[in-house]
């Protein structure tokens, strides 16, 4: 939610840059998604979900603090890389879906459960956007991403609990 705002307001990038980054993410995704599917099959959902959480910690720290640690140009490119990686991480929902299929007691409930998950995800996305906007205004954008990193750590420990039959 806040990544484009960082690129536009903090690094003063034009919307064309976001479009280019989205295009790069789309092209990379053509190769990444099949590889991710194979990795889920080979390594399992637990590994993929815990790896996602670890990577997301670094992405959030990169968005929030690259400018504090690196020179402006280097920080901007770190934010660009974080943006593309962030796009790739959205594909990890594949692992959530395959995990749900494995643990479902009634296979017919999978589609309804995934639909409900999307609904809940949208609700929390809006809530987080409101809370994050308040945090951004009150303390600065870095704290929005610090909160994101903390949530990713919590997600990591949740992913460690994933078990398949």
């Amino acid at each position: 939610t806040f990544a484009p705002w960082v690129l536009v307001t903090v690094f003063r990038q034009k919307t064309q840059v976001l479009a280019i980054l989205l295009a790069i993410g789309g092209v990379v995704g053509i190769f990444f998604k099949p590889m991710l599917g194979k990795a889920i099959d080979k390594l399992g959902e637990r590994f993929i979900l815990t790896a996602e959480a670890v990577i997301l910690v670094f992405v959030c720290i990169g968005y929030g603090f690259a400018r504090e640690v690196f020179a402006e140009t280097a920080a901007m490119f770190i934010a660009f890389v974080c943006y593309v990686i962030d796009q790739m991480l959205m594909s990890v929902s594949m692992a959530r879906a395959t995990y749900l299929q494995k643990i479902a007691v009634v296979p017919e409930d999978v589609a309804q459960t995934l639909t409900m998950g999307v609904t809940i995800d949208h609700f929390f996305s809006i809530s987080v956007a409101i809370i994050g906007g308040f945090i951004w205004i009150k303390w600065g954008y870095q704290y929005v991403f610090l909160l994101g990193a903390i949530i990713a750590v919590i997600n990591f420990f949740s992913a460690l609990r994933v078990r398949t039959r």
Side-chain angles (χ1 to χ4, degrees), residues 93 100 110-126:
S93 62
L100 181 60
V110 171
Q112 295 170 355
T113 304
L114 289 172
T115 301
M116 181 55 126
V118 169
T119 302
I120 291 169
D121 186 46
H122 280 98
F123 172 78
F124 280 103
S125 294
I126 291 168

Side-chain angles (χ1 to χ4, degrees), residues 35-64:
M35 290 178 7
L36 177 62
K38 290 176 185 172
I40 292 168
D41 290 341
K42 184 175 181 174
L43 303 170
E45 290 85 0
R46 179 181 175 187
F47 179 86
I48 298 300
L49 294 172
T50 54
E52 174 204 27
V54 169
I55 293 167
L56 194 53
V57 168
F58 287 104
V59 166
C60 288
I61 298 300
Y63 278 135

